[in-house]
Amino acid sequence: VQLQASGGGLVQAGDSLTLSCAASGTIFGINDMAWYRQAPGGQRELVASITSRGRADYTTSLEGRFTISRDNTKKSVFLQMTKLEPEDTAVYYCNAEIAREYWIPATHYWGQGTLVTVSS
């Protein structure tokens, strides 16, 4: 199983950006999917998560600017980011709880990370 994240880049403050993450490989089912981020010198923190049925939860400070969504048919999760601020500069990682087969307990997988840099 692999998670491939994409969509990062260099933007200016106030801009918008959408990140994508697609799962591939032998997959029976995907439970929760999420986005985390790690700023330079900081710890990895949860940005948002979404259940298989589409219920989303957000880190309080980011709710309203960031929107998480998923497409179960494409095994993908997305993060729409608006009104970006220099403080949003970080490597963004996707995470998914995936069952490879019905008899194998679901395990968390991480994407490789995509860098978002917001200039002031």
Side-chain angles (χ1 to χ4, degrees):
V1 173
Q2 288 189 330
L3 292 176
Q4 182 68 44
S6 62
L10 173 63
V11 298
Q12 293 187 333
D15 285 351
S16 299
L17 199 63
T18 298
L19 306 181
S20 302
C21 177
S24 61
T26 301
I27 296 173
F28 172 74
I30 304 177
N31 299 331
D32 290 1
M33 305 183 83
W35 286 96
Y36 288 74
R37 69 183 184 182
Q38 186 166 13
Q43 293 188 336
R44 193 171 298 190
E45 63 174 0
L46 176 67
V47 173
S49 64
I50 186 167
T51 68
S52 59
R53 296 190 176 189
R55 191 190 78 184
D57 288 303
Y58 299 89
T59 294
T60 303
S61 61
L62 299 176
E63 191 168 10
R65 293 195 300 122
F66 289 13
T67 302
I68 190 171
S69 61
R70 65 190 283 172
D71 184 335
N72 291 332
T73 64
K74 296 181 179 179
K75 300 183 180 64
S76 296
V77 62
F78 310 95
L79 185 68
Q80 291 180 284
M81 304 183 291
T82 64
K83 301 177 183 178
L84 284 162
E85 304 168 353
E87 293 73 23
D88 295 318
T89 294
V91 177
Y92 285 72
Y93 298 91
C94 56
N95 177 280
E97 187 180 20
I98 296 174
R100 291 185 291 120
E101 300 289 355
Y102 74 89
W103 66 85
I104 301 176
T107 304
H108 283 274
Y109 292 86
W110 290 93
Q112 83 286 6
T114 184
L115 176 63
V116 174
T117 304
V118 184
S119 64
S120 57

